[in-house]
Amino acid sequence: MLESLGDISSHFPEPDGYCHPDWLALYERMKESQDEEHWDNIWTKLAWRWLTKLHSNLGGSYQCFETQNFLLVVDASRMVALDIGKFAENALKKIGELLIPAAQGEGPPHVILAFSSEETYYDYISYFYGDGESPMSSGVYLSGEGYAHFAFPIQKYTSYRATIAHELTHACLSHLRLPLWLNEALAMRMEESMQVAFDSQINEEKIEKHFKFWNAETIQTFWSGESWKLVGDSNELSYSLATILWRKIEVDMEATREEIGTYIEYAKSEDASEGSLRNVFEMGLEDLVADFLGDGDWAPKPGVWKLDCATEE
């Protein structure tokens, strides 16, 4: 079937020693030569060609294999490689159970790159960052370049499970325009449901930090997504507040699966999900925050936001 695309060898360049396909050019070739009903199949075959070249770039003991919904390039023992595939399938199933109909489960297989060292991991992902440097991380969901995929270093057995659960959630929700706080809250909730999350209980010291940090100005950086990028306690407290707010929706309000699905599906970054929350639960975001921090000017005000809301890390 790939023969119908013509000579596509030039669309698989290796600018930094790793294959980075020109997915836009490949997409145009595919549209010109194939009916839409065949696109997923062709995209999967193109992904295999990409990973075969990437496998050759990496060399060593890297191996390519597939599961029902994933294509993987892994440098690890057979036990670890199989665990990565099995856990990813279980996480995808759990996401579907908790977030359907909002989660997207159809389409070409997900791609996972599991590197044997942090050095190789950072060397690979640096291509996707404009300044040539990549932020410190235990794993990343790379949504650019046309075929979104996951990458992480294998630091020790099972250390990658939280990364898979977290980043796979982002991937399954990437077709939605979610505010960053909700996107991160759902990813952390999935870590918890897969029993791979760190202890997220807050103590008196953490609560005191919340009360000191959040005010009428800083809460707007939370709604816009800017607070995740600021130095100091802002990033940590943003993750914490997102988790707290989600628990109020899911647990305190005893939201049904249908209500959760509808709320997520219609949530918009433009208003931090305020409209969807009011339509489904007849309450505003300021009410959720006030239930934790007390009365205050907590409502989202998009007109004062400095940054557009993001939906990926």
Side-chain angles (χ1 to χ4, degrees):
M1 188 172 288
L2 290 185
E3 290 76 12
S4 65
L5 304 184
D7 182 7
I8 56 176
S9 57
S10 64
H11 299 323
F12 289 85
E14 301 171 16
D16 56 355
Y18 301 108
C19 182
H20 297 290
D22 184 345
W23 292 108
L24 179 58
L26 290 169
Y27 177 66
E28 292 300 327
R29 289 280 192 99
M30 183 177 66
K31 284 199 306 180
E32 293 172 358
S33 62
Q34 291 290 331
D35 295 332
E36 187 171 352
E37 61 184 283
H38 301 303
W39 288 2
D40 283 354
N41 188 26
I42 294 176
W43 216 238
T44 301
K45 292 181 182 299
L46 289 171
W48 263 123
R49 178 171 291 194
W50 161 42
L51 295 183
T52 298
K53 286 184 172 292
L54 189 58
H55 174 264
S56 178
N57 297 148
L58 292 166
S61 56
Y62 280 87
Q63 55 185 306
C64 295
F65 67 100
E66 64 180 319
T67 63
Q68 182 179 353
N69 295 288
F70 293 85
L71 305 179
L72 305 97
V73 177
V74 180
D75 185 9
S77 67
R78 176 177 173 79
M79 178 181 69
V80 172
L82 292 177
D83 181 72
I84 291 173
K86 182 178 180 180
F87 183 84
E89 288 289 351
N90 289 338
L92 186 63
K93 180 180 179 181
K94 179 67 73 172
I95 291 170
E97 291 173 351
L98 293 182
L99 302 182
I100 289 294
Q104 186 177 42
E106 301 297 327
H110 299 280
V111 167
I112 290 179
L113 308 179
F115 297 93
S116 56
S117 71
E118 289 189 343
E119 181 181 1
T120 307
Y121 163 70
Y122 285 114
D123 190 36
Y124 174 78
I125 69 173
S126 64
Y127 171 83
F128 297 89
Y129 295 87
D131 58 5
E133 297 181 358
S134 51
M136 297 296 291
S137 64
S138 58
V140 65
Y141 170 56
L142 300 165
S143 61
E145 296 297 305
Y147 201 120
H149 55 291
F150 314 99
F152 55 82
I154 302 176
Q155 298 171 322
K156 60 182 180 179
Y157 182 50
T158 76
S159 64
Y160 43 78
R161 290 182 176 180
T163 297
I164 293 174
H166 190 103
E167 303 301 342
L168 184 57
T169 303
H170 287 322
C172 290
L173 297 172
S174 63
H175 62 296
L176 302 175
R177 181 64 176 171
L178 298 182
L180 184 57
W181 81 265
L182 180 56
N183 208 322
E184 293 298 346
L186 294 171
M188 290 184 288
R189 174 65 179 91
M190 201 54 56
E191 288 186 48
E192 183 180 52
S193 70
M194 296 297 295
Q195 300 180 341
V196 293
F198 293 110
D199 184 5
S200 58
Q201 296 296 321
I202 61 173
N203 52 31
E204 291 185 6
E205 180 181 358
K206 177 67 72 66
I207 293 175
E208 185 64 24
K209 284 186 176 181
H210 276 291
F211 274 84
K212 289 182 178 180
F213 184 81
W214 300 113
N215 55 44
E217 293 183 0
T218 56
I219 198 64
Q220 297 306 318
T221 68
F222 177 79
W223 298 133
S224 73
E226 184 182 4
S227 62
W228 267 264
K229 304 175 179 66
L230 301 178
V231 297
D233 293 333
S234 182
N235 180 273
E236 176 190 358
L237 292 177
S238 294
Y239 277 105
S240 179
L241 182 59
T243 299
I244 291 169
L245 297 186
W246 181 253
R247 284 178 177 168
K248 290 188 177 299
I249 293 173
E250 185 179 24
V251 180
D252 296 355
M253 295 166 55
E254 299 181 339
T256 66
R257 184 168 177 267
E258 290 72 23
E259 288 174 330
I260 287 174
T262 301
Y263 166 55
I264 296 172
E265 186 173 9
Y266 292 99
K268 302 298 180 184
S269 62
E270 288 78 8
D271 65 355
S273 80
E274 172 78 6
S276 184
L277 188 74
R278 287 192 177 277
N279 287 336
V280 177
F281 299 106
E282 299 182 348
M283 66 182 306
L285 291 169
E286 61 183 320
D287 301 312
L288 291 181
V289 178
D291 195 46
F292 172 53
L293 296 177
D295 293 338
D297 187 10
W298 307 123
K301 300 175 181 179
V304 305
W305 295 350
K306 297 179 180 179
L307 295 178
D308 189 17
C309 298
T311 58
E312 59 183 287
E313 296 186 322

Short mmCIF file of all heavy atoms in Angstrom, two decimals, residues 16-55:
data_model
loop_
_atom_site.label_atom_id
_atom_site.label_comp_id
_atom_site.label_asym_id
_atom_site.label_seq_id
_atom_site.Cartn_x
_atom_site.Cartn_y
_atom_site.Cartn_z
N ASP A 16 19.66 14.93 13.09
CA ASP A 16 20.51 14.93 14.27
C ASP A 16 20.97 13.51 14.63
O ASP A 16 21.32 13.23 15.77
CB ASP A 16 19.77 15.54 15.47
CG ASP A 16 18.44 14.84 15.74
OD1 ASP A 16 18.07 13.94 14.95
OD2 ASP A 16 17.77 15.18 16.73
N GLY A 17 20.93 12.63 13.63
CA GLY A 17 21.31 11.25 13.88
C GLY A 17 20.14 10.36 14.20
O GLY A 17 20.30 9.14 14.34
N TYR A 18 18.94 10.97 14.33
CA TYR A 18 17.72 10.21 14.59
C TYR A 18 16.70 10.52 13.49
O TYR A 18 16.59 11.65 13.04
CB TYR A 18 17.11 10.59 15.95
CG TYR A 18 18.03 10.36 17.11
CD1 TYR A 18 18.61 11.44 17.78
CD2 TYR A 18 18.32 9.08 17.56
CE1 TYR A 18 19.46 11.24 18.85
CE2 TYR A 18 19.18 8.87 18.63
CZ TYR A 18 19.74 9.96 19.28
OH TYR A 18 20.59 9.77 20.34
N CYS A 19 15.95 9.53 13.09
CA CYS A 19 14.96 9.72 12.04
C CYS A 19 13.79 10.57 12.54
O CYS A 19 13.16 10.23 13.55
CB CYS A 19 14.45 8.36 11.55
SG CYS A 19 13.25 8.49 10.20
N HIS A 20 13.52 11.66 11.84
CA HIS A 20 12.39 12.54 12.14
C HIS A 20 11.62 12.74 10.82
O HIS A 20 11.93 13.65 10.05
CB HIS A 20 12.85 13.88 12.68
CG HIS A 20 13.59 13.80 13.97
ND1 HIS A 20 12.97 13.47 15.16
CD2 HIS A 20 14.91 13.99 14.26
CE1 HIS A 20 13.87 13.48 16.13
NE2 HIS A 20 15.05 13.79 15.62
N PRO A 21 10.61 11.93 10.57
CA PRO A 21 9.89 12.00 9.29
C PRO A 21 9.23 13.36 9.05
O PRO A 21 8.85 14.05 10.00
CB PRO A 21 8.83 10.90 9.41
CG PRO A 21 9.39 9.94 10.41
CD PRO A 21 10.12 10.82 11.40
N ASP A 22 9.10 13.71 7.80
CA ASP A 22 8.35 14.89 7.40
C ASP A 22 6.89 14.46 7.27
O ASP A 22 6.41 14.13 6.20
CB ASP A 22 8.87 15.42 6.06
CG ASP A 22 8.21 16.72 5.63
OD1 ASP A 22 7.16 17.06 6.22
OD2 ASP A 22 8.72 17.37 4.71
N TRP A 23 6.20 14.47 8.40
CA TRP A 23 4.85 13.92 8.44
C TRP A 23 3.87 14.72 7.60
O TRP A 23 2.92 14.17 7.05
CB TRP A 23 4.37 13.84 9.89
CG TRP A 23 5.12 12.83 10.71
CD1 TRP A 23 6.02 13.07 11.69
CD2 TRP A 23 5.04 11.40 10.58
NE1 TRP A 23 6.51 11.89 12.19
CE2 TRP A 23 5.91 10.85 11.53
CE3 TRP A 23 4.30 10.55 9.76
CZ2 TRP A 23 6.09 9.47 11.69
CZ3 TRP A 23 4.47 9.17 9.91
CH2 TRP A 23 5.35 8.65 10.85
N LEU A 24 4.09 16.02 7.49
CA LEU A 24 3.20 16.84 6.68
C LEU A 24 3.27 16.43 5.22
O LEU A 24 2.24 16.27 4.54
CB LEU A 24 3.54 18.32 6.83
CG LEU A 24 2.69 19.30 6.01
CD1 LEU A 24 1.21 19.15 6.37
CD2 LEU A 24 3.15 20.73 6.24
N ALA A 25 4.48 16.24 4.71
CA ALA A 25 4.65 15.81 3.32
C ALA A 25 4.06 14.43 3.10
O ALA A 25 3.43 14.16 2.07
CB ALA A 25 6.14 15.82 2.94
N LEU A 26 4.26 13.54 4.07
CA LEU A 26 3.71 12.19 3.97
C LEU A 26 2.18 12.22 3.98
O LEU A 26 1.53 11.46 3.26
CB LEU A 26 4.23 11.32 5.11
CG LEU A 26 5.72 10.96 5.04
CD1 LEU A 26 6.19 10.35 6.35
CD2 LEU A 26 5.99 10.01 3.88
N TYR A 27 1.64 13.11 4.79
CA TYR A 27 0.19 13.24 4.86
C TYR A 27 -0.38 13.71 3.52
O TYR A 27 -1.41 13.21 3.05
CB TYR A 27 -0.18 14.22 5.98
CG TYR A 27 -1.66 14.51 6.10
CD1 TYR A 27 -2.55 13.52 6.47
CD2 TYR A 27 -2.15 15.79 5.83
CE1 TYR A 27 -3.91 13.78 6.58
CE2 TYR A 27 -3.50 16.06 5.93
CZ TYR A 27 -4.38 15.06 6.32
OH TYR A 27 -5.72 15.32 6.42
N GLU A 28 0.30 14.66 2.90
CA GLU A 28 -0.16 15.17 1.60
C GLU A 28 -0.09 14.07 0.55
O GLU A 28 -1.00 13.93 -0.29
CB GLU A 28 0.69 16.36 1.18
CG GLU A 28 0.50 17.61 2.04
CD GLU A 28 -0.93 18.12 2.02
OE1 GLU A 28 -1.60 17.98 0.97
OE2 GLU A 28 -1.38 18.65 3.05
N ARG A 29 0.96 13.27 0.56
CA ARG A 29 1.07 12.15 -0.36
C ARG A 29 -0.09 11.16 -0.15
O ARG A 29 -0.68 10.65 -1.10
CB ARG A 29 2.40 11.41 -0.14
CG ARG A 29 3.62 12.17 -0.59
CD ARG A 29 3.84 12.08 -2.10
NE ARG A 29 5.15 12.55 -2.49
CZ ARG A 29 6.20 11.78 -2.74
NH1 ARG A 29 6.08 10.47 -2.63
NH2 ARG A 29 7.35 12.30 -3.09
N MET A 30 -0.37 10.90 1.12
CA MET A 30 -1.43 9.94 1.45
C MET A 30 -2.79 10.44 0.98
O MET A 30 -3.58 9.69 0.41
CB MET A 30 -1.44 9.69 2.96
CG MET A 30 -2.44 8.65 3.43
SD MET A 30 -2.33 8.36 5.21
CE MET A 30 -2.87 9.95 5.86
N LYS A 31 -3.08 11.72 1.20
CA LYS A 31 -4.37 12.28 0.79
C LYS A 31 -4.55 12.21 -0.72
O LYS A 31 -5.66 12.00 -1.21
CB LYS A 31 -4.48 13.74 1.25
CG LYS A 31 -4.76 13.92 2.72
CD LYS A 31 -5.32 15.30 3.00
CE LYS A 31 -4.44 16.39 2.46
NZ LYS A 31 -4.99 17.74 2.73
N GLU A 32 -3.46 12.40 -1.44
CA GLU A 32 -3.54 12.42 -2.89
C GLU A 32 -3.80 11.05 -3.50
O GLU A 32 -4.41 10.93 -4.56
CB GLU A 32 -2.24 12.98 -3.48
CG GLU A 32 -2.01 14.46 -3.18
CD GLU A 32 -0.63 14.91 -3.62
OE1 GLU A 32 0.13 14.04 -4.12
OE2 GLU A 32 -0.31 16.10 -3.45
N SER A 33 -3.33 9.98 -2.81
CA SER A 33 -3.34 8.66 -3.43
C SER A 33 -4.31 7.66 -2.81
O SER A 33 -4.56 6.61 -3.40
CB SER A 33 -1.93 8.06 -3.41
OG SER A 33 -1.49 7.90 -2.07
N GLN A 34 -4.84 7.97 -1.61
CA GLN A 34 -5.65 6.97 -0.92
C GLN A 34 -6.95 7.55 -0.39
O GLN A 34 -7.00 8.72 0.02
CB GLN A 34 -4.87 6.36 0.26
CG GLN A 34 -3.69 5.50 -0.16
CD GLN A 34 -4.14 4.20 -0.80
OE1 GLN A 34 -5.21 3.68 -0.49
NE2 GLN A 34 -3.32 3.67 -1.69
N ASP A 35 -7.98 6.74 -0.37
CA ASP A 35 -9.25 7.13 0.25
C ASP A 35 -9.06 7.19 1.77
O ASP A 35 -8.24 6.48 2.35
CB ASP A 35 -10.35 6.12 -0.09
CG ASP A 35 -10.68 6.11 -1.57
OD1 ASP A 35 -10.50 7.15 -2.22
OD2 ASP A 35 -11.10 5.05 -2.07
N GLU A 36 -9.86 8.02 2.41
CA GLU A 36 -9.72 8.25 3.84
C GLU A 36 -9.85 6.98 4.66
O GLU A 36 -9.24 6.86 5.73
CB GLU A 36 -10.74 9.29 4.30
CG GLU A 36 -10.56 9.75 5.74
CD GLU A 36 -11.44 10.92 6.10
OE1 GLU A 36 -12.10 11.48 5.19
OE2 GLU A 36 -11.49 11.27 7.29
N GLU A 37 -10.63 6.03 4.20
CA GLU A 37 -10.83 4.80 4.95
C GLU A 37 -9.54 4.01 5.13
O GLU A 37 -9.44 3.14 6.01
CB GLU A 37 -11.87 3.91 4.25
CG GLU A 37 -11.46 3.48 2.85
CD GLU A 37 -12.53 2.70 2.14
OE1 GLU A 37 -12.70 1.50 2.46
OE2 GLU A 37 -13.23 3.30 1.29
N HIS A 38 -8.53 4.29 4.32
CA HIS A 38 -7.25 3.56 4.40
C HIS A 38 -6.18 4.34 5.16
O HIS A 38 -5.08 3.82 5.36
CB HIS A 38 -6.73 3.26 3.00
CG HIS A 38 -7.65 2.43 2.16
ND1 HIS A 38 -8.11 1.18 2.55
CD2 HIS A 38 -8.22 2.67 0.95
CE1 HIS A 38 -8.90 0.69 1.62
NE2 HIS A 38 -8.99 1.58 0.64
N TRP A 39 -6.49 5.53 5.58
CA TRP A 39 -5.46 6.39 6.17
C TRP A 39 -4.83 5.81 7.42
O TRP A 39 -3.61 5.85 7.59
CB TRP A 39 -6.03 7.78 6.45
CG TRP A 39 -6.28 8.60 5.23
CD1 TRP A 39 -6.08 8.20 3.92
CD2 TRP A 39 -6.76 9.94 5.16
NE1 TRP A 39 -6.41 9.20 3.04
CE2 TRP A 39 -6.85 10.29 3.77
CE3 TRP A 39 -7.16 10.86 6.10
CZ2 TRP A 39 -7.28 11.53 3.34
CZ3 TRP A 39 -7.60 12.12 5.68
CH2 TRP A 39 -7.66 12.44 4.32
N ASP A 40 -5.64 5.30 8.35
CA ASP A 40 -5.08 4.75 9.59
C ASP A 40 -4.11 3.61 9.30
O ASP A 40 -3.03 3.51 9.93
CB ASP A 40 -6.20 4.25 10.50
CG ASP A 40 -6.91 5.39 11.22
OD1 ASP A 40 -6.46 6.55 11.09
OD2 ASP A 40 -7.92 5.12 11.90
N ASN A 41 -4.47 2.77 8.35
CA ASN A 41 -3.60 1.65 8.00
C ASN A 41 -2.28 2.13 7.42
O ASN A 41 -1.20 1.63 7.77
CB ASN A 41 -4.32 0.74 7.01
CG ASN A 41 -3.56 -0.55 6.75
OD1 ASN A 41 -2.80 -1.01 7.58
ND2 ASN A 41 -3.75 -1.12 5.58
N ILE A 42 -2.36 3.12 6.53
CA ILE A 42 -1.14 3.66 5.93
C ILE A 42 -0.29 4.36 6.99
O ILE A 42 0.94 4.23 7.02
CB ILE A 42 -1.50 4.64 4.80
CG1 ILE A 42 -2.17 3.89 3.65
CG2 ILE A 42 -0.26 5.38 4.31
CD1 ILE A 42 -2.66 4.78 2.53
N TRP A 43 -0.93 5.12 7.84
CA TRP A 43 -0.20 5.85 8.89
C TRP A 43 0.56 4.87 9.79
O TRP A 43 1.68 5.13 10.21
CB TRP A 43 -1.18 6.69 9.69
CG TRP A 43 -0.63 8.00 10.16
CD1 TRP A 43 -0.53 8.43 11.44
CD2 TRP A 43 -0.12 9.08 9.35
NE1 TRP A 43 -0.01 9.70 11.50
CE2 TRP A 43 0.26 10.12 10.23
CE3 TRP A 43 0.05 9.26 7.98
CZ2 TRP A 43 0.81 11.33 9.78
CZ3 TRP A 43 0.59 10.46 7.53
CH2 TRP A 43 0.96 11.47 8.42
N THR A 44 -0.06 3.72 10.07
CA THR A 44 0.59 2.70 10.87
C THR A 44 1.82 2.15 10.16
O THR A 44 2.89 1.95 10.76
CB THR A 44 -0.38 1.55 11.18
OG1 THR A 44 -1.51 2.08 11.89
CG2 THR A 44 0.29 0.49 12.05
N LYS A 45 1.70 1.89 8.87
CA LYS A 45 2.84 1.39 8.09
C LYS A 45 3.96 2.42 8.02
O LYS A 45 5.15 2.08 8.08
CB LYS A 45 2.38 1.00 6.68
CG LYS A 45 1.45 -0.21 6.65
CD LYS A 45 1.05 -0.56 5.24
CE LYS A 45 0.08 -1.73 5.20
NZ LYS A 45 0.67 -2.97 5.77
N LEU A 46 3.59 3.68 7.90
CA LEU A 46 4.60 4.73 7.90
C LEU A 46 5.30 4.81 9.25
O LEU A 46 6.52 5.04 9.32
CB LEU A 46 3.95 6.08 7.57
CG LEU A 46 3.47 6.26 6.12
CD1 LEU A 46 2.65 7.53 5.99
CD2 LEU A 46 4.66 6.29 5.16
N ALA A 47 4.54 4.63 10.31
CA ALA A 47 5.12 4.63 11.65
C ALA A 47 6.13 3.50 11.81
O ALA A 47 7.20 3.67 12.40
CB ALA A 47 4.02 4.52 12.70
N TRP A 48 5.80 2.33 11.26
CA TRP A 48 6.73 1.20 11.34
C TRP A 48 8.01 1.52 10.57
O TRP A 48 9.11 1.17 11.01
CB TRP A 48 6.08 -0.06 10.78
CG TRP A 48 5.50 -0.96 11.82
CD1 TRP A 48 4.21 -1.39 11.91
CD2 TRP A 48 6.18 -1.53 12.94
NE1 TRP A 48 4.04 -2.19 13.02
CE2 TRP A 48 5.24 -2.30 13.67
CE3 TRP A 48 7.49 -1.48 13.42
CZ2 TRP A 48 5.56 -3.01 14.82
CZ3 TRP A 48 7.83 -2.17 14.58
CH2 TRP A 48 6.86 -2.92 15.27
N ARG A 49 7.90 2.16 9.41
CA ARG A 49 9.11 2.52 8.66
C ARG A 49 9.96 3.49 9.47
O ARG A 49 11.19 3.38 9.51
CB ARG A 49 8.74 3.13 7.32
CG ARG A 49 9.96 3.56 6.51
CD ARG A 49 9.63 3.96 5.09
NE ARG A 49 9.20 2.84 4.28
CZ ARG A 49 9.11 2.88 2.95
NH1 ARG A 49 9.41 4.00 2.31
NH2 ARG A 49 8.70 1.83 2.28
N TRP A 50 9.31 4.47 10.09
CA TRP A 50 10.01 5.42 10.94
C TRP A 50 10.75 4.71 12.08
O TRP A 50 11.94 4.95 12.31
CB TRP A 50 9.00 6.43 11.49
CG TRP A 50 9.41 7.21 12.70
CD1 TRP A 50 10.64 7.77 12.95
CD2 TRP A 50 8.59 7.52 13.82
NE1 TRP A 50 10.62 8.42 14.16
CE2 TRP A 50 9.38 8.28 14.72
CE3 TRP A 50 7.27 7.25 14.15
CZ2 TRP A 50 8.88 8.75 15.93
CZ3 TRP A 50 6.76 7.73 15.35
CH2 TRP A 50 7.56 8.46 16.23
N LEU A 51 10.04 3.82 12.79
CA LEU A 51 10.64 3.16 13.94
C LEU A 51 11.74 2.19 13.54
O LEU A 51 12.70 1.98 14.29
CB LEU A 51 9.55 2.44 14.75
CG LEU A 51 8.50 3.35 15.39
CD1 LEU A 51 7.52 2.54 16.22
CD2 LEU A 51 9.15 4.43 16.23
N THR A 52 11.61 1.60 12.37
CA THR A 52 12.68 0.72 11.88
C THR A 52 13.95 1.52 11.67
O THR A 52 15.07 1.09 12.03
CB THR A 52 12.25 0.06 10.56
OG1 THR A 52 11.10 -0.75 10.79
CG2 THR A 52 13.38 -0.83 10.03
N LYS A 53 13.82 2.72 11.10
CA LYS A 53 14.98 3.59 10.90
C LYS A 53 15.53 4.08 12.24
O LYS A 53 16.74 4.16 12.44
CB LYS A 53 14.60 4.78 10.01
CG LYS A 53 14.43 4.42 8.54
CD LYS A 53 14.14 5.66 7.71
CE LYS A 53 14.16 5.33 6.22
NZ LYS A 53 15.53 4.98 5.76
N LEU A 54 14.62 4.43 13.15
CA LEU A 54 15.04 4.90 14.47
C LEU A 54 15.76 3.79 15.22
O LEU A 54 16.76 4.03 15.92
CB LEU A 54 13.83 5.39 15.26
CG LEU A 54 14.11 6.12 16.58
CD1 LEU A 54 14.99 7.34 16.34
CD2 LEU A 54 12.80 6.53 17.24
N HIS A 55 15.26 2.57 15.09
CA HIS A 55 15.91 1.41 15.70
C HIS A 55 17.34 1.28 15.20
O HIS A 55 18.28 1.01 15.95
CB HIS A 55 15.10 0.15 15.39
CG HIS A 55 15.75 -1.12 15.85
ND1 HIS A 55 16.52 -1.89 15.00
CD2 HIS A 55 15.76 -1.74 17.05
CE1 HIS A 55 16.96 -2.95 15.66
NE2 HIS A 55 16.52 -2.87 16.90
#
